[in-house]
């Protein structure tokens, strides 16, 4: 079963400001769980002006529900995520797609953030943030999925602070 959530947010800043700020959102005091961000790949297409990157995010696992800690056992206190980014400054679109690589046999977390010009105000930026969670352990998959979506919503509420640090 898949549990998903879609959130929208309007930033009262131009698309260019938001696109540039997204590269500086970590580390940040509101997200102490994000320990490190490493650039793995960077491709710039001179003809189209688009940029594609892959980054590795290292996150500290804090405050997991005790029942989830029992499932993970003596696992590392860190989780790793891959983030693929596509930036098209000509068409004013930026797409960040991330997925977990840690615990992927237990739970799969996929998040896509799409930044575009707000259709109602060309000076603002609209973000569409989608999360899909698929847990695999029988009998408790829904509980894992709901816990992960809850964390997604909590982290999404801090987006303003992270982008403008």
């Amino acid at each position: 079963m898949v549990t998903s959530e879609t959130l929208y947010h309007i930033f009262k800043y131009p698309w260019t400001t938001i696109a540039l700020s997204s590269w500086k959102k970590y580390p940040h005091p509101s997200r102490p769980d994000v320990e490190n961000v490493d650039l793995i790949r960077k491709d710039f297409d001179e003809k189209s002006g688009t940029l594609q990157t892959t980054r590795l995010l290292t996150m500290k696992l804090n405050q997991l529900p005790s029942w989830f800690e029992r499932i993970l056992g003596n696992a590392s206190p860190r989780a790793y995520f891959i983030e693929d980014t596509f930036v098209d400054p000509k068409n004013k679109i930026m797409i960040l797609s991330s997925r977990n690589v840690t615990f992927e046999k237990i739970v799969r977390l996929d998040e896509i953030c799409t930044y575009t010009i707000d259709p109602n105000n060309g000076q603002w930026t609209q973000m569409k943030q989608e999360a899909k969670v698929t847990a695999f352990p029988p009998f408790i998959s829904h509980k894992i999925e709901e816990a992960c979506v809850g964390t997604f919503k909590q982290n999404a509420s801090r987006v303003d602070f992270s982008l403008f640090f």
Side-chain angles (χ1 to χ4, degrees):
M1 181 167 176
V2 175
T3 301
S4 62
E5 184 74 32
T6 301
L7 304 171
Y8 291 89
H9 185 81
I10 301 296
F11 295 100
K12 296 181 180 180
Y13 297 92
W15 181 90
T16 304
T17 300
I18 298 300
L20 291 172
S21 296
S22 74
W23 296 99
K24 298 179 178 184
K25 67 182 176 181
Y26 303 122
H28 189 273
S30 75
R31 291 295 309 272
D33 57 319
V34 180
E35 292 184 327
N36 202 27
V37 179
D38 294 304
L39 182 64
I40 297 172
R41 178 186 64 88
K42 172 178 66 171
D43 294 314
F44 178 70
D45 184 327
E46 290 183 31
K47 187 174 181 181
S48 67
T50 60
L51 174 67
Q52 294 185 31
T53 66
T54 301
R55 301 190 297 178
L56 176 68
L57 283 72
T58 304
M59 301 181 74
K60 209 181 326 178
L61 295 176
N62 5 333
Q63 301 177 349
L64 292 175
S66 58
W67 57 266
F68 197 42
E69 287 180 356
R70 286 193 293 276
I71 292 170
L72 298 178
N74 293 329
S76 167
R78 286 172 182 69
Y80 300 94
F81 290 80
I82 294 290
E83 178 187 79
D84 293 309
T85 303
F86 172 79
V87 183
D88 181 349
K90 289 181 185 172
N91 295 303
K92 304 282 193 263
I93 185 165
M94 180 171 68
I95 303 169
L96 284 69
S97 304
S98 60
R99 68 191 179 287
N100 64 304
V101 292
T102 309
F103 312 121
E104 63 186 351
K105 292 188 190 296
I106 297 170
V107 62
R108 170 79 189 226
L109 308 165
D110 293 291
E111 181 180 4
I112 299 174
C113 295
T114 305
Y115 298 85
T116 57
I117 292 176
D118 177 30
N120 299 314
N121 184 329
Q123 297 301 308
W124 294 354
T125 304
Q126 176 180 274
M127 178 184 70
K128 178 181 179 184
Q129 190 173 17
E130 305 167 90
K132 292 182 182 166
V133 182
T134 308
F136 304 107
F139 309 111
I140 60 166
S141 60
H142 187 68
K143 191 172 185 176
I144 293 170
E145 291 167 0
E146 289 297 322
C148 291
V149 167
T151 300
F152 162 76
K153 287 180 183 179
Q154 181 182 4
N155 290 340
S157 70
R158 301 183 225 176
V159 73
D160 277 334
F161 300 109
S162 296
L163 284 173
F164 298 107
F165 179 70

